Amino acid sequence: MTLTDHEARGEAVDDDPVSIEIFAKNLENIAHEMGLVMMRSSGSPVIAEAVDFSTFIADAHGDIICYAGYITIYLGTARQAVKHILATVPREQIRPGDMFICNDPFTTGNAHAVDVGVVRPIFASGPAGPDDDPELIAWCWSEAHVNDFGGFAPGSMAPMATEAYGEALRLPGVKLVDQGRLVDDIWRIIETNIRVPELVLNDIRCFIAACNRCDERMQDLIAHYGLDTFRRYVEVSKDLAEQAVRERIAELPNGIYTAEEHVEHNGHTNDLYPLRCTLTVGDDTLRFDFSDSAPQTNGFVNCSAPITLGCVASPLLITLLPDLPINQGTLRPIEVITRPGTICDARMPAPVSAGHLETGFRVCKLVTRLLADIQGASANPFLREHVMAPFQDSWNASFFYAPDENGELVPFPDMNGGGSGAGAQAVADGMDVSGMLAQPQNSIPDIEINELGYPVLYLWRKLNTNSGGPGRYRGGDGLDLAWTPWHTTGGQEHVMAACWQVPPAGVFGGYPGSSSGFTLVSGAGADTALARGQVPATLDELAAPPRRLDGKQFGLTVLPGDVVNLRAGGGGGYGDPLDREPGQVAADVRAGIVSARAASASYGVELGPDGDVDPAATAVRREEIRAARRDWAREGDHLVRRSPAAATLTERDQWCQHRDGVELVEYADPDTAAMVRTEIVVTGPPR
C-alpha cells in the first residue's frame, strides 16, 4: 500500500516522508521512555540491570503502531493481550484511567506466567471538546519478568510441572486499576499468592507508572498534531512500513525452503522434540509453516502461538529488516502458521513456564538459519552483508531459593543466564556475551547488585574460552561464572539449560558454537578458602570434584561453601576457519577468547613463544588440515566427514554435553578442500 492508495480512498495526503518519520520517532521515544521509567522505579535487578522487559503502543483495535526494541519476541504477546481484552471486556467497561493486568499464556498470550504485563487504554477528548465522551484511540503495554508469581517452583519456572495449573497464578487481562483507583481485591490476590510480594508489587507499580507516562506523552502528541492528523499518520506509517517490507522480500529468491531444529529435555524426559519449518518465499510475502512440529509435551518447554510469531519476527527484524520500523504494517506480508496442540502452539493444560526459552528460541535459531541461506543467495549486497549464523540463544535459567541474612526466603533468578554468545556475521565476528537475538537491549546484572539483593557471592565471571563457533568470522563466546551461598544456611537450586545437547549451527562452512550447561561442586570448600584469603578462580582449585548437571534439574541442595558454575555457550561461526586472518586468531588468544590449542586445531594457526603468529608453521598446519579433508569420503559433489559432535574440536568438551544421537557433518569442496558447510544432524533420541 502506498500514499496513492490513501488518495484512492478519498483521503487528503499532503504529508512528506520526513514528517511521517518525525511522527514515528516521537512514538518510538514515548515507548522507550516507558522503559526508562520502569528501570528507574523498579527495585528488581531483572528490570533495572538485565533490561528484561518490553513496551509497546497499539491503535484502538490493538494493532501495533510502535514497539520499543527491548525484547522483540513479545510482539505477538503484546498485540494478543489487547485483542483479548477487547474481545472479553464490554466496551462500556473500558474507561479512562483503567488498567488491566495479564500474564496468561493461553488467553493474553504471555510467554509464561512470571512475565507480567499491564495494559492501559488511552483516550482523547471527544469531537465536541473536553466535556464530550472521550474516544478510545490507543493502548499501551508495559511488561517484565518478575521474581515470582506463585506456583510450585520458587521463581515460577517449574521443570517438575506436568500441567499449567502447577506453574503460577494466571491473570487473563483483569482490571487492576478502575478509573484511576487500584482494585484492592486483585491486589490482595496477587499479594497472597507470591513469595516476595514487596518486590513484585513494586514492579507492578513501575508498570503502572510506565503506562501513566505513556498516557501523558500521548496526550501531548495528540495536542500537537491534532486527532485527525494523528490517526492519518498512524495509518500512513503502517502502509509505508508494509511497502518497504514487501520491496525487501522481493529481493529474495522465490522458493520453498525447509529446516529442522530440536527442543531438548522437557523437564521430565531427556528426549528431543523436532521443530520443523517450511518457509515459502513469494514475490512479496513470507509464509512460515510450523504445522509439522512435535505434539505438545507434559513438560514446560511448550510455547504459545503469539510467542512463535514473535520468535519468527525477531530474526527477520535483525537480519532482513534491520533498518525498517516496527509496526503492524511490518508484519502484514508475513504469515506464521502453527497447528494447535504442538510445542509451538500449546493448548491447556500444557505447561509452558520455559516455553519461550526452549521452543521459542529454537524458532529463532531455525529462522536465522533459513534466512542465512536465502539472503546469501540474494543479488542485493545489503542482504548478503546481513547474513548471520544462529546465536547460542539459550537462556540458562538458575533459581536459588534460600533464606537471606535476615532469615527471609528469597528466590534468586540469576539473570547472568542470558550471557551467551552471538552468531557470526558475514562481515564481523559475533558479539561475546551478547544475550539473546530477541533482546537487542539485553544486559547482564552488575555482580555487586546481585550480591546486595540475594544471599550469594560470586567467585568469578569471565569469558567461556572456545565456546564460539570457529569460522572466517567466529561466533561470540559466552560467559563462565561461579557463585557460592553467602550469609545463608543454604537452600535449593534448580537449573534449566535450553541448548544443552544440540548446539547452534554455523553457516557457509562455519562450525557450530558450544552448548551450555551447569556444574555443581558439593563440598567445594569455597567458604573455607575465602576465610584463608584465597579466591578460587577455576573449578580445579576447589576441594571437591565437579558434577556436570543434566539440562534440567530441580531441588538440588546447595550449602555454604558449595559452588554453582555456569558455562554459557557461544554462537555459530561464519565461513571456513582456515580463511580467518591469522593475526585475528592471535589477538583472540591474547584476549582469552580462543586457546592456543584451539587456534591450531580449529584455525590452523600456530603461535610462537611470544604469542605472535608463526607464518611458516601456520602455512604448514593449514595445508595439513586441507590434506586431511581431501581424505574424507566422497558423497555426491562434496568431501564429507561424519563424527560425534564433540569429537572434532580440540579442548571443547562442553561443546555437546550429550553426544549420543548428535553428529557433526562437514562438507568440503573436492578441488580446494575449502569448507562449504557444516550441519548438526540428530540421528536419534539421546540414550
Side-chain angles (χ1 to χ4, degrees), residues 188-229:
R188 287 199 300 271
I189 289 172
I190 298 171
E191 184 177 30
T192 303
N193 280 277
I194 56 181
R195 293 172 175 84
V196 280
E198 183 176 349
L199 181 62
V200 173
L201 293 177
N202 189 65
D203 284 348
I204 295 173
R205 290 186 184 96
C206 92
F207 307 159
I208 292 172
C211 288
N212 287 339
R213 178 59 58 86
C214 181
D215 185 83
E216 294 168 4
R217 294 291 188 249
M218 289 289 285
Q219 300 303 329
D220 293 341
L221 189 69
I222 292 165
H224 175 77
Y225 282 99
L227 191 53
D228 289 342
T229 301

mmCIF file of all heavy atoms in Angstrom, residues 188-229:
data_model
loop_
_atom_site.group_PDB
_atom_site.id
_atom_site.type_symbol
_atom_site.label_atom_id
_atom_site.label_comp_id
_atom_site.label_asym_id
_atom_site.label_seq_id
_atom_site.Cartn_x
_atom_site.Cartn_y
_atom_site.Cartn_z
ATOM 1 N N ARG A 188 -4.816 -7.874 46.484
ATOM 2 C CA ARG A 188 -4.654 -8.792 47.612
ATOM 3 C C ARG A 188 -4.487 -10.237 47.135
ATOM 4 O O ARG A 188 -3.756 -11.022 47.747
ATOM 5 C CB ARG A 188 -5.855 -8.682 48.557
ATOM 6 C CG ARG A 188 -5.867 -7.401 49.388
ATOM 7 C CD ARG A 188 -6.772 -7.546 50.608
ATOM 8 N NE ARG A 188 -8.146 -7.821 50.233
ATOM 9 C CZ ARG A 188 -9.073 -6.892 49.989
ATOM 10 N NH1 ARG A 188 -8.735 -5.617 50.088
ATOM 11 N NH2 ARG A 188 -10.307 -7.222 49.662
ATOM 12 N N ILE A 189 -5.159 -10.606 46.048
ATOM 13 C CA ILE A 189 -4.982 -11.951 45.497
ATOM 14 C C ILE A 189 -3.528 -12.159 45.080
ATOM 15 O O ILE A 189 -2.912 -13.192 45.377
ATOM 16 C CB ILE A 189 -5.930 -12.179 44.302
ATOM 17 C CG1 ILE A 189 -7.380 -12.302 44.794
ATOM 18 C CG2 ILE A 189 -5.526 -13.434 43.522
ATOM 19 C CD1 ILE A 189 -8.393 -12.330 43.674
ATOM 20 N N ILE A 190 -2.965 -11.177 44.390
ATOM 21 C CA ILE A 190 -1.568 -11.288 43.958
ATOM 22 C C ILE A 190 -0.657 -11.354 45.178
ATOM 23 O O ILE A 190 0.224 -12.221 45.281
ATOM 24 C CB ILE A 190 -1.189 -10.098 43.060
ATOM 25 C CG1 ILE A 190 -2.050 -10.087 41.783
ATOM 26 C CG2 ILE A 190 0.295 -10.149 42.706
ATOM 27 C CD1 ILE A 190 -1.893 -8.830 40.959
ATOM 28 N N GLU A 191 -0.867 -10.453 46.120
ATOM 29 C CA GLU A 191 -0.009 -10.377 47.304
ATOM 30 C C GLU A 191 -0.002 -11.688 48.082
ATOM 31 O O GLU A 191 1.031 -12.111 48.607
ATOM 32 C CB GLU A 191 -0.498 -9.236 48.193
ATOM 33 C CG GLU A 191 0.358 -8.977 49.410
ATOM 34 C CD GLU A 191 -0.150 -7.782 50.196
ATOM 35 O OE1 GLU A 191 -1.380 -7.519 50.167
ATOM 36 O OE2 GLU A 191 0.674 -7.108 50.832
ATOM 37 N N THR A 192 -1.154 -12.354 48.120
ATOM 38 C CA THR A 192 -1.282 -13.577 48.906
ATOM 39 C C THR A 192 -0.621 -14.767 48.241
ATOM 40 O O THR A 192 -0.230 -15.727 48.922
ATOM 41 C CB THR A 192 -2.777 -13.886 49.141
ATOM 42 O OG1 THR A 192 -3.385 -12.762 49.779
ATOM 43 C CG2 THR A 192 -2.968 -15.107 50.019
ATOM 44 N N ASN A 193 -0.431 -14.743 46.926
ATOM 45 C CA ASN A 193 -0.003 -15.932 46.180
ATOM 46 C C ASN A 193 1.457 -15.930 45.770
ATOM 47 O O ASN A 193 1.898 -16.880 45.115
ATOM 48 C CB ASN A 193 -0.878 -16.095 44.932
ATOM 49 C CG ASN A 193 -2.205 -16.731 45.252
ATOM 50 O OD1 ASN A 193 -2.320 -17.951 45.339
ATOM 51 N ND2 ASN A 193 -3.234 -15.912 45.450
ATOM 52 N N ILE A 194 2.227 -14.916 46.115
ATOM 53 C CA ILE A 194 3.613 -14.864 45.660
ATOM 54 C C ILE A 194 4.565 -14.835 46.850
ATOM 55 O O ILE A 194 4.215 -14.422 47.953
ATOM 56 C CB ILE A 194 3.870 -13.655 44.734
ATOM 57 C CG1 ILE A 194 3.486 -12.349 45.412
ATOM 58 C CG2 ILE A 194 3.126 -13.817 43.429
ATOM 59 C CD1 ILE A 194 3.684 -11.132 44.539
ATOM 60 N N ARG A 195 5.799 -15.285 46.602
ATOM 61 C CA ARG A 195 6.762 -15.472 47.684
ATOM 62 C C ARG A 195 7.413 -14.169 48.133
ATOM 63 O O ARG A 195 7.840 -14.053 49.287
ATOM 64 C CB ARG A 195 7.843 -16.464 47.223
ATOM 65 C CG ARG A 195 7.316 -17.876 47.025
ATOM 66 C CD ARG A 195 8.364 -18.778 46.397
ATOM 67 N NE ARG A 195 7.922 -20.158 46.314
ATOM 68 C CZ ARG A 195 7.165 -20.641 45.315
ATOM 69 N NH1 ARG A 195 6.796 -19.827 44.325
ATOM 70 N NH2 ARG A 195 6.788 -21.903 45.317
ATOM 71 N N VAL A 196 7.580 -13.222 47.235
ATOM 72 C CA VAL A 196 8.241 -11.956 47.575
ATOM 73 C C VAL A 196 7.322 -10.803 47.180
ATOM 74 O O VAL A 196 7.596 -10.062 46.225
ATOM 75 C CB VAL A 196 9.616 -11.844 46.885
ATOM 76 C CG1 VAL A 196 10.662 -12.641 47.634
ATOM 77 C CG2 VAL A 196 9.558 -12.315 45.430
ATOM 78 N N PRO A 197 6.212 -10.637 47.894
ATOM 79 C CA PRO A 197 5.207 -9.666 47.461
ATOM 80 C C PRO A 197 5.720 -8.228 47.394
ATOM 81 O O PRO A 197 5.349 -7.485 46.482
ATOM 82 C CB PRO A 197 4.094 -9.809 48.503
ATOM 83 C CG PRO A 197 4.727 -10.490 49.678
ATOM 84 C CD PRO A 197 5.791 -11.361 49.114
ATOM 85 N N GLU A 198 6.576 -7.844 48.321
ATOM 86 C CA GLU A 198 7.037 -6.458 48.320
ATOM 87 C C GLU A 198 7.779 -6.129 47.032
ATOM 88 O O GLU A 198 7.541 -5.092 46.399
ATOM 89 C CB GLU A 198 7.939 -6.208 49.532
ATOM 90 C CG GLU A 198 8.400 -4.764 49.647
ATOM 91 C CD GLU A 198 9.215 -4.518 50.904
ATOM 92 O OE1 GLU A 198 9.243 -5.417 51.776
ATOM 93 O OE2 GLU A 198 9.823 -3.439 51.001
ATOM 94 N N LEU A 199 8.677 -7.028 46.621
ATOM 95 C CA LEU A 199 9.457 -6.794 45.408
ATOM 96 C C LEU A 199 8.575 -6.833 44.161
ATOM 97 O O LEU A 199 8.657 -5.952 43.290
ATOM 98 C CB LEU A 199 10.558 -7.848 45.305
ATOM 99 C CG LEU A 199 11.502 -7.757 44.109
ATOM 100 C CD1 LEU A 199 12.274 -6.453 44.123
ATOM 101 C CD2 LEU A 199 12.468 -8.937 44.097
ATOM 102 N N VAL A 200 7.707 -7.832 44.064
ATOM 103 C CA VAL A 200 6.892 -7.991 42.860
ATOM 104 C C VAL A 200 5.834 -6.899 42.753
ATOM 105 O O VAL A 200 5.594 -6.351 41.669
ATOM 106 C CB VAL A 200 6.248 -9.388 42.835
ATOM 107 C CG1 VAL A 200 5.259 -9.510 41.685
ATOM 108 C CG2 VAL A 200 7.324 -10.462 42.717
ATOM 109 N N LEU A 201 5.196 -6.546 43.859
ATOM 110 C CA LEU A 201 4.180 -5.496 43.801
ATOM 111 C C LEU A 201 4.802 -4.154 43.439
ATOM 112 O O LEU A 201 4.179 -3.334 42.753
ATOM 113 C CB LEU A 201 3.436 -5.408 45.132
ATOM 114 C CG LEU A 201 2.571 -6.635 45.482
ATOM 115 C CD1 LEU A 201 1.936 -6.466 46.849
ATOM 116 C CD2 LEU A 201 1.501 -6.868 44.426
ATOM 117 N N ASN A 202 6.026 -3.931 43.873
ATOM 118 C CA ASN A 202 6.702 -2.703 43.452
ATOM 119 C C ASN A 202 6.975 -2.714 41.954
ATOM 120 O O ASN A 202 6.870 -1.679 41.278
ATOM 121 C CB ASN A 202 8.008 -2.519 44.213
ATOM 122 C CG ASN A 202 8.621 -1.156 43.962
ATOM 123 O OD1 ASN A 202 8.056 -0.140 44.331
ATOM 124 N ND2 ASN A 202 9.777 -1.124 43.306
ATOM 125 N N ASP A 203 7.308 -3.897 41.398
ATOM 126 C CA ASP A 203 7.476 -3.991 39.952
ATOM 127 C C ASP A 203 6.171 -3.660 39.232
ATOM 128 O O ASP A 203 6.171 -2.952 38.213
ATOM 129 C CB ASP A 203 7.940 -5.396 39.564
ATOM 130 C CG ASP A 203 9.418 -5.629 39.857
ATOM 131 O OD1 ASP A 203 10.127 -4.648 40.139
ATOM 132 O OD2 ASP A 203 9.852 -6.788 39.807
ATOM 133 N N ILE A 204 5.059 -4.175 39.742
ATOM 134 C CA ILE A 204 3.770 -3.885 39.104
ATOM 135 C C ILE A 204 3.474 -2.388 39.175
ATOM 136 O O ILE A 204 2.937 -1.801 38.227
ATOM 137 C CB ILE A 204 2.654 -4.721 39.755
ATOM 138 C CG1 ILE A 204 2.899 -6.213 39.481
ATOM 139 C CG2 ILE A 204 1.283 -4.305 39.222
ATOM 140 C CD1 ILE A 204 1.951 -7.140 40.204
ATOM 141 N N ARG A 205 3.846 -1.757 40.287
ATOM 142 C CA ARG A 205 3.677 -0.297 40.373
ATOM 143 C C ARG A 205 4.500 0.402 39.297
ATOM 144 O O ARG A 205 4.078 1.420 38.735
ATOM 145 C CB ARG A 205 4.101 0.194 41.759
ATOM 146 C CG ARG A 205 3.165 -0.212 42.886
ATOM 147 C CD ARG A 205 3.586 0.454 44.209
ATOM 148 N NE ARG A 205 2.763 0.004 45.318
ATOM 149 C CZ ARG A 205 3.102 -0.972 46.157
ATOM 150 N NH1 ARG A 205 4.269 -1.608 45.995
ATOM 151 N NH2 ARG A 205 2.304 -1.322 47.142
ATOM 152 N N CYS A 206 5.697 -0.140 38.999
ATOM 153 C CA CYS A 206 6.514 0.510 37.967
ATOM 154 C C CYS A 206 5.903 0.319 36.585
ATOM 155 O O CYS A 206 6.042 1.185 35.715
ATOM 156 C CB CYS A 206 7.963 0.039 38.041
ATOM 157 S SG CYS A 206 8.431 -1.370 37.029
ATOM 158 N N PHE A 207 5.174 -0.801 36.357
ATOM 159 C CA PHE A 207 4.455 -0.970 35.095
ATOM 160 C C PHE A 207 3.344 0.077 34.983
ATOM 161 O O PHE A 207 3.131 0.661 33.915
ATOM 162 C CB PHE A 207 3.828 -2.360 35.000
ATOM 163 C CG PHE A 207 4.758 -3.518 35.223
ATOM 164 C CD1 PHE A 207 4.262 -4.760 35.597
ATOM 165 C CD2 PHE A 207 6.124 -3.384 35.065
ATOM 166 C CE1 PHE A 207 5.103 -5.830 35.808
ATOM 167 C CE2 PHE A 207 6.981 -4.453 35.272
ATOM 168 C CZ PHE A 207 6.468 -5.686 35.654
ATOM 169 N N ILE A 208 2.645 0.283 36.093
ATOM 170 C CA ILE A 208 1.575 1.290 36.112
ATOM 171 C C ILE A 208 2.154 2.674 35.834
ATOM 172 O O ILE A 208 1.601 3.457 35.052
ATOM 173 C CB ILE A 208 0.847 1.249 37.470
ATOM 174 C CG1 ILE A 208 0.071 -0.066 37.617
ATOM 175 C CG2 ILE A 208 -0.080 2.451 37.627
ATOM 176 C CD1 ILE A 208 -0.520 -0.289 38.997
ATOM 177 N N ALA A 209 3.295 2.973 36.454
ATOM 178 C CA ALA A 209 3.925 4.282 36.236
ATOM 179 C C ALA A 209 4.320 4.466 34.774
ATOM 180 O O ALA A 209 4.160 5.554 34.202
ATOM 181 C CB ALA A 209 5.152 4.412 37.140
ATOM 182 N N ALA A 210 4.835 3.404 34.150
ATOM 183 C CA ALA A 210 5.215 3.500 32.737
ATOM 184 C C ALA A 210 4.007 3.783 31.865
ATOM 185 O O ALA A 210 4.073 4.596 30.922
ATOM 186 C CB ALA A 210 5.907 2.211 32.307
ATOM 187 N N CYS A 211 2.880 3.106 32.140
ATOM 188 C CA CYS A 211 1.666 3.351 31.358
ATOM 189 C C CYS A 211 1.136 4.754 31.598
ATOM 190 O O CYS A 211 0.624 5.407 30.671
ATOM 191 C CB CYS A 211 0.608 2.302 31.704
ATOM 192 S SG CYS A 211 0.966 0.650 31.070
ATOM 193 N N ASN A 212 1.240 5.243 32.831
ATOM 194 C CA ASN A 212 0.826 6.625 33.104
ATOM 195 C C ASN A 212 1.660 7.612 32.300
ATOM 196 O O ASN A 212 1.141 8.584 31.735
ATOM 197 C CB ASN A 212 0.962 6.927 34.597
ATOM 198 C CG ASN A 212 -0.112 6.255 35.434
ATOM 199 O OD1 ASN A 212 -1.171 5.881 34.928
ATOM 200 N ND2 ASN A 212 0.152 6.097 36.730
ATOM 201 N N ARG A 213 2.969 7.361 32.255
ATOM 202 C CA ARG A 213 3.835 8.257 31.485
ATOM 203 C C ARG A 213 3.474 8.215 30.003
ATOM 204 O O ARG A 213 3.463 9.258 29.330
ATOM 205 C CB ARG A 213 5.301 7.870 31.688
ATOM 206 C CG ARG A 213 6.304 8.723 30.891
ATOM 207 C CD ARG A 213 6.210 10.203 31.250
ATOM 208 N NE ARG A 213 6.444 10.419 32.643
ATOM 209 C CZ ARG A 213 7.647 10.577 33.196
ATOM 210 N NH1 ARG A 213 8.741 10.530 32.448
ATOM 211 N NH2 ARG A 213 7.765 10.803 34.490
ATOM 212 N N CYS A 214 3.179 7.027 29.490
ATOM 213 C CA CYS A 214 2.785 6.933 28.090
ATOM 214 C C CYS A 214 1.526 7.747 27.822
ATOM 215 O O CYS A 214 1.437 8.479 26.829
ATOM 216 C CB CYS A 214 2.555 5.468 27.707
ATOM 217 S SG CYS A 214 2.085 5.234 25.981
ATOM 218 N N ASP A 215 0.537 7.647 28.695
ATOM 219 C CA ASP A 215 -0.698 8.408 28.507
ATOM 220 C C ASP A 215 -0.406 9.911 28.490
ATOM 221 O O ASP A 215 -0.926 10.645 27.636
ATOM 222 C CB ASP A 215 -1.686 8.071 29.620
ATOM 223 C CG ASP A 215 -3.032 8.727 29.407
ATOM 224 O OD1 ASP A 215 -3.844 8.165 28.647
ATOM 225 O OD2 ASP A 215 -3.276 9.810 29.983
ATOM 226 N N GLU A 216 0.439 10.375 29.394
ATOM 227 C CA GLU A 216 0.786 11.802 29.422
ATOM 228 C C GLU A 216 1.436 12.240 28.112
ATOM 229 O O GLU A 216 1.090 13.277 27.533
ATOM 230 C CB GLU A 216 1.737 12.072 30.588
ATOM 231 C CG GLU A 216 1.143 11.870 31.965
ATOM 232 C CD GLU A 216 2.209 11.869 33.051
ATOM 233 O OE1 GLU A 216 3.393 12.107 32.717
ATOM 234 O OE2 GLU A 216 1.864 11.633 34.221
ATOM 235 N N ARG A 217 2.403 11.449 27.649
ATOM 236 C CA ARG A 217 3.119 11.825 26.430
ATOM 237 C C ARG A 217 2.218 11.733 25.195
ATOM 238 O O ARG A 217 2.332 12.544 24.267
ATOM 239 C CB ARG A 217 4.340 10.921 26.258
ATOM 240 C CG ARG A 217 5.402 11.106 27.332
ATOM 241 C CD ARG A 217 6.067 12.473 27.189
ATOM 242 N NE ARG A 217 7.208 12.583 28.073
ATOM 243 C CZ ARG A 217 7.255 13.381 29.138
ATOM 244 N NH1 ARG A 217 6.199 14.138 29.437
ATOM 245 N NH2 ARG A 217 8.339 13.447 29.891
ATOM 246 N N MET A 218 1.333 10.744 25.185
ATOM 247 C CA MET A 218 0.411 10.627 24.049
ATOM 248 C C MET A 218 -0.557 11.805 24.001
ATOM 249 O O MET A 218 -0.913 12.289 22.911
ATOM 250 C CB MET A 218 -0.350 9.312 24.141
ATOM 251 C CG MET A 218 0.493 8.076 23.855
ATOM 252 S SD MET A 218 0.951 7.912 22.120
ATOM 253 C CE MET A 218 -0.607 7.361 21.436
ATOM 254 N N GLN A 219 -1.003 12.278 25.155
ATOM 255 C CA GLN A 219 -1.876 13.453 25.164
ATOM 256 C C GLN A 219 -1.155 14.657 24.570
ATOM 257 O O GLN A 219 -1.733 15.441 23.802
ATOM 258 C CB GLN A 219 -2.353 13.758 26.586
ATOM 259 C CG GLN A 219 -3.152 12.649 27.253
ATOM 260 C CD GLN A 219 -4.382 12.232 26.464
ATOM 261 O OE1 GLN A 219 -5.002 13.026 25.765
ATOM 262 N NE2 GLN A 219 -4.727 10.945 26.564
ATOM 263 N N ASP A 220 0.132 14.817 24.929
ATOM 264 C CA ASP A 220 0.921 15.918 24.358
ATOM 265 C C ASP A 220 1.056 15.753 22.846
ATOM 266 O O ASP A 220 0.963 16.740 22.088
ATOM 267 C CB ASP A 220 2.311 15.950 24.997
ATOM 268 C CG ASP A 220 2.281 16.326 26.467
ATOM 269 O OD1 ASP A 220 1.258 16.900 26.907
ATOM 270 O OD2 ASP A 220 3.271 16.041 27.180
ATOM 271 N N LEU A 221 1.285 14.525 22.403
ATOM 272 C CA LEU A 221 1.465 14.275 20.970
ATOM 273 C C LEU A 221 0.186 14.585 20.195
ATOM 274 O O LEU A 221 0.227 15.214 19.126
ATOM 275 C CB LEU A 221 1.878 12.818 20.760
ATOM 276 C CG LEU A 221 2.324 12.422 19.356
ATOM 277 C CD1 LEU A 221 3.664 13.067 19.021
ATOM 278 C CD2 LEU A 221 2.433 10.903 19.232
ATOM 279 N N ILE A 222 -0.945 14.156 20.721
ATOM 280 C CA ILE A 222 -2.225 14.403 20.041
ATOM 281 C C ILE A 222 -2.540 15.891 20.036
ATOM 282 O O ILE A 222 -3.041 16.435 19.034
ATOM 283 C CB ILE A 222 -3.338 13.590 20.723
ATOM 284 C CG1 ILE A 222 -3.106 12.095 20.485
ATOM 285 C CG2 ILE A 222 -4.717 13.994 20.190
ATOM 286 C CD1 ILE A 222 -3.916 11.199 21.383
ATOM 287 N N ALA A 223 -2.226 16.572 21.132
ATOM 288 C CA ALA A 223 -2.459 18.016 21.175
ATOM 289 C C ALA A 223 -1.611 18.736 20.129
ATOM 290 O O ALA A 223 -2.039 19.730 19.536
ATOM 291 C CB ALA A 223 -2.143 18.548 22.573
ATOM 292 N N HIS A 224 -0.411 18.213 19.891
ATOM 293 C CA HIS A 224 0.484 18.844 18.914
ATOM 294 C C HIS A 224 0.001 18.620 17.478
ATOM 295 O O HIS A 224 -0.015 19.554 16.665
ATOM 296 C CB HIS A 224 1.892 18.284 19.085
ATOM 297 C CG HIS A 224 2.871 18.780 18.068
ATOM 298 N ND1 HIS A 224 3.430 20.038 18.115
ATOM 299 C CD2 HIS A 224 3.392 18.187 16.949
ATOM 300 C CE1 HIS A 224 4.245 20.202 17.084
ATOM 301 N NE2 HIS A 224 4.242 19.091 16.371
ATOM 302 N N TYR A 225 -0.384 17.374 17.162
ATOM 303 C CA TYR A 225 -0.737 17.045 15.782
ATOM 304 C C TYR A 225 -2.224 17.220 15.485
ATOM 305 O O TYR A 225 -2.597 17.410 14.320
ATOM 306 C CB TYR A 225 -0.337 15.597 15.478
ATOM 307 C CG TYR A 225 1.145 15.410 15.219
ATOM 308 C CD1 TYR A 225 1.988 14.952 16.221
ATOM 309 C CD2 TYR A 225 1.693 15.698 13.970
ATOM 310 C CE1 TYR A 225 3.344 14.777 15.994
ATOM 311 C CE2 TYR A 225 3.054 15.523 13.729
ATOM 312 C CZ TYR A 225 3.869 15.067 14.751
ATOM 313 O OH TYR A 225 5.210 14.902 14.513
ATOM 314 N N GLY A 226 -3.061 17.105 16.494
ATOM 315 C CA GLY A 226 -4.494 17.031 16.254
ATOM 316 C C GLY A 226 -4.907 15.588 16.023
ATOM 317 O O GLY A 226 -4.139 14.785 15.478
ATOM 318 N N LEU A 227 -6.140 15.252 16.434
ATOM 319 C CA LEU A 227 -6.563 13.855 16.402
ATOM 320 C C LEU A 227 -6.648 13.312 14.977
ATOM 321 O O LEU A 227 -6.249 12.170 14.717
ATOM 322 C CB LEU A 227 -7.914 13.715 17.108
ATOM 323 C CG LEU A 227 -8.385 12.289 17.388
ATOM 324 C CD1 LEU A 227 -7.321 11.505 18.143
ATOM 325 C CD2 LEU A 227 -9.696 12.306 18.176
ATOM 326 N N ASP A 228 -7.148 14.094 14.053
ATOM 327 C CA ASP A 228 -7.263 13.603 12.670
ATOM 328 C C ASP A 228 -5.894 13.317 12.068
ATOM 329 O O ASP A 228 -5.688 12.286 11.411
ATOM 330 C CB ASP A 228 -8.017 14.621 11.819
ATOM 331 C CG ASP A 228 -9.498 14.689 12.161
ATOM 332 O OD1 ASP A 228 -10.000 13.738 12.794
ATOM 333 O OD2 ASP A 228 -10.143 15.695 11.807
ATOM 334 N N THR A 229 -4.966 14.220 12.269
ATOM 335 C CA THR A 229 -3.614 14.005 11.738
ATOM 336 C C THR A 229 -2.948 12.822 12.430
ATOM 337 O O THR A 229 -2.251 12.027 11.785
ATOM 338 C CB THR A 229 -2.768 15.270 11.915
ATOM 339 O OG1 THR A 229 -3.396 16.354 11.221
ATOM 340 C CG2 THR A 229 -1.361 15.070 11.370
#
